[in-house]
Amino acid sequence: QLISQDQFLSSHCWKVFYFIVLTYIYPKMAATNFARLALASILAFATAGNALLTNPTRTVITRDIKTPDPVPQSGIDEAVELMKTGRMYRYNVANAAESVVSKCEVEIAEYTGHKYCVALNSCGSAIMLMMKCAGLKPGDEVLSNAFTFGAVPSAIEHAGGKAVYVESDYNHVMDMDDLEKKLVAYPNCKFCLISHMRGKLCDMDKLKDACDRHGVTLLEDCAHSLGVEWNGVHTGHVGKVAAISAQSYKMINSGEGGFLITDDAEIAAKCAVYAGAYEGLSVKHTTVPSPEVFGDLPTQIPNYSVRMSGLAAAVIRPQILTLNERRAKYNKRYAFVTEKLVERKGHMLSIPVNTPGMTPVHDSLQINLSHKMTDDQVQKFLDEASTHGLPVELFGHKSNARNFVNWNFAPAEDPLPLTAKMLSRACDVRLPLMWDDEDFSDMVDVLCESLDAAVGDADFE
């Protein structure tokens, strides 16, 4: 009976064939080069075929995982025209209506639904200034996520505060039970800086209730949550003031940049002055309160000169128009990748769950590897993925800036066992917008194949 090559190679037939040929046929064959060469070819065919089955070809990605979103042509054109005039300084205009930075602030405020907006040179500056504008004094304690980027505790230190860290859970958000404990343990703490790390929101209603009960002012780091909503309202409205980012890997890309957004007039006025609206330059803003609110602030608080340039604003403006379109594209791809990962390797990993009430922007992928994997197996997985073109970051790696053990400038004084355990298996992968849809099939394959290579025949069921 004839069988296919695949059937032949996938069965034990080739082994029997190999044994018969070597034992009975080969010794009796005429010792001609042709005959023996032909037989050697047959045996090589069988052996090589079996090798392909036991060592299948691995998927390799050749695209750059750090490909940022490009600047639309209209943004490039506006930046070029601005350079031709030389008026890149936001106040080198006759009035606010002529300022590209003021126009950008208006468009950001309209998108997020805030009354006031001040454009800055970075989100780090925005986070630092929102604490100072909210009344932070040197040495004041600030509650914040134990899982966030190192720029957040850096901003707390920059503002003169002292960071107190709250545990983060396996959904990568602030743990509400530990928050309640920390609010009791630190009765002098008057500020809570919630960081929406990777665009993930905790239960914002519970958070606000806890802060209100303890007389704590809530501040929002929305660096990762532009386009994310809580109960249909853009992030940044539950807290008193918020900061968003225009750094290269965020939803709007000017290389560096940030915005302070708020509905509080006093905070907005202070921020504009801290940023560099000296003398009477606040009149060249559109999204700040009236001059009466500013009063004598320009002579009472320092000018840190952290304004956004016109070039950054020019390249940001057209990107605001496509935020919702890009959100839909990111979320569709994220849904595909996570569905396939859970389908194929759900026994070895889990996906953080979105808090009910949240409308996400999934521009990156986070997975929690099984704790049944050893540290060596986790490292093997990371190495395998990297070797095959897909850099995967482990949040708990000893060099990762998102691992709280690396914040020696603002060290944790309380044990953080939940966060530490979560970080030890929490992985991060970008989902570049400029990749093609088929690239994400390759991403799934590389992740799954790398897991297989890392754990071998280990039982994870």
Side-chain angles (χ1 to χ4, degrees):
Q1 181 181 359
L2 294 177
I3 62 173
S4 69
Q5 176 186 344
D6 288 342
Q7 290 172 320
F8 176 77
L9 295 175
S10 62
S11 68
H12 293 288
C13 294
W14 74 272
K15 296 178 182 178
V16 177
F17 173 75
Y18 193 86
F19 174 79
I20 292 172
V21 168
L22 288 180
T23 306
Y24 297 105
I25 300 177
Y26 187 81
K28 298 178 181 179
M29 287 184 64
T32 66
N33 289 336
F34 175 79
R36 289 186 173 176
L37 180 61
L39 180 60
S41 298
I42 295 172
L43 295 177
F45 166 79
T47 305
N50 187 67
L52 286 174
L53 287 171
T54 56
N55 298 288
T57 303
R58 291 281 298 273
T59 306
V60 176
I61 291 175
T62 58
R63 303 291 297 270
D64 181 5
I65 195 69
K66 292 193 173 182
T67 303
D69 295 357
V71 175
Q73 188 60 47
S74 60
I76 297 172
D77 293 342
E78 185 168 18
V80 169
E81 289 303 312
L82 197 62
M83 286 188 283
K84 288 179 179 179
T85 68
R87 297 181 184 275
M88 295 168 284
Y89 174 51
R90 74 163 296 164
Y91 296 132
N92 192 6
V93 291
N95 52 62
E98 296 180 14
S99 168
V100 64
V101 181
S102 291
K103 293 176 183 177
C104 186
E105 290 167 334
V106 168
E107 290 156 357
I108 288 289
E110 288 177 347
Y111 183 80
T112 64
H114 287 86
K115 188 174 182 180
Y116 304 115
C117 177
V118 180
L120 302 161
N121 64 345
S122 74
C123 188
S125 293
I127 296 171
M128 180 271 290
L129 287 183
M130 73 177 178
M131 286 183 280
K132 293 185 71 70
C133 294
L136 181 77
K137 299 295 189 294
D140 281 354
E141 296 165 335
V142 181
L143 292 168
S144 190
N145 310 43
F147 171 49
T148 185
F149 183 52
V152 175
S154 296
I156 294 173
E157 191 276 339
H158 192 182
K162 177 180 173 57
V164 176
Y165 302 111
V166 180
E167 293 267 34
S168 296
D169 64 21
Y170 280 84
N171 293 322
H172 299 184
V173 298
M174 184 179 282
D175 182 80
M176 292 295 101
D177 291 337
D178 193 55
L179 172 65
E180 292 284 358
K181 295 176 183 177
K182 296 289 170 60
L183 286 167
V184 173
Y186 292 88
N188 296 323
C189 181
K190 298 303 178 185
F191 299 93
C192 178
L193 173 57
I194 182 70
S195 178
H196 304 314
M197 186 61 175
R198 291 296 187 264
K200 292 174 170 55
L201 308 185
C202 66
D203 189 317
M204 295 300 292
D205 294 338
K206 286 185 178 180
L207 173 63
K208 183 64 164 62
D209 175 69
C211 289
D212 288 348
R213 282 188 282 106
H214 290 269
V216 170
T217 300
L218 179 60
L219 314 171
E220 293 187 60
D221 164 24
C222 299
H224 294 196
S225 66
L226 184 61
V228 178
E229 297 177 353
W230 176 252
N231 291 331
V233 179
H234 196 281
T235 51
H237 286 275
V238 179
K240 190 172 186 178
V241 56
I244 59 177
S245 177
Q247 189 265 350
S248 185
Y249 299 133
K250 304 302 189 299
M251 287 294 287
I252 47 177
N253 171 22
S254 62
E256 290 286 357
F259 299 86
L260 182 143
I261 46 179
T262 185
D263 291 330
D264 187 287
E266 183 180 356
I267 286 178
K270 286 182 177 180
C271 181
V273 174
Y274 274 126
Y278 59 90
E279 297 173 349
L281 289 176
S282 63
V283 299
K284 294 189 177 182
H285 287 253
T286 302
T287 53
V288 298
S290 63
E292 294 76 32
V293 178
F294 282 82
D296 61 351
L297 283 176
T299 64
Q300 299 301 314
I301 59 178
N303 166 7
Y304 293 143
S305 295
V306 291
R307 299 168 291 259
M308 178 178 284
S309 80
L311 291 178
V315 301
I316 289 171
R317 292 185 64 204
Q319 297 177 59
I320 301 170
L321 301 176
T322 62
L323 277 168
N324 291 345
E325 175 188 339
R326 288 184 285 128
R327 175 175 65 186
K329 190 171 184 177
Y330 275 125
N331 288 346
K332 180 180 178 181
R333 287 173 166 178
Y334 176 87
F336 168 80
V337 171
T338 53
E339 179 184 352
K340 294 302 180 183
L341 283 175
V342 171
E343 180 182 293
R344 292 171 60 177
K345 298 297 175 186
H347 59 294
M348 300 174 67
L349 57 81
S350 64
I351 306 297
V353 178
N354 291 335
T355 305
M358 168 188 165
T359 301
V361 176
H362 288 303
D363 60 345
S364 61
L365 167 71
Q366 290 73 49
I367 58 177
N368 298 315
L369 298 177
S370 170
H371 280 289
K372 292 182 179 180
M373 291 180 68
T374 65
D375 291 344
D376 288 343
Q377 287 173 329
V378 171
Q379 187 58 54
K380 176 70 171 174
F381 163 68
L382 301 176
D383 293 342
E384 286 286 334
S386 179
T387 298
H388 293 85
L390 184 64
V392 177
E393 290 194 15
L394 180 70
F395 285 130
H397 194 275
K398 61 183 180 181
S399 65
N400 198 306
R402 298 146 198 87
N403 187 347
F404 66 86
V405 301
N406 294 317
W407 305 337
N408 293 322
F409 53 87
E413 296 185 355
D414 300 310
L416 297 164
L418 175 61
T419 307
K421 188 174 182 180
M422 178 272 287
L423 292 176
S424 72
R425 295 295 181 270
C427 296
D428 186 44
V429 185
R430 285 181 49 77
L431 301 175
L433 187 75
M434 300 311 295
W435 281 20
D436 298 319
D437 288 343
E438 53 266 28
D439 294 319
F440 295 94
S441 294
D442 291 340
M443 176 182 286
V444 172
D445 288 340
V446 169
L447 290 171
C448 293
E449 291 166 8
S450 297
L451 281 170
D452 287 339
V455 303
D457 296 327
D459 182 11
F460 283 87
E461 295 296 341

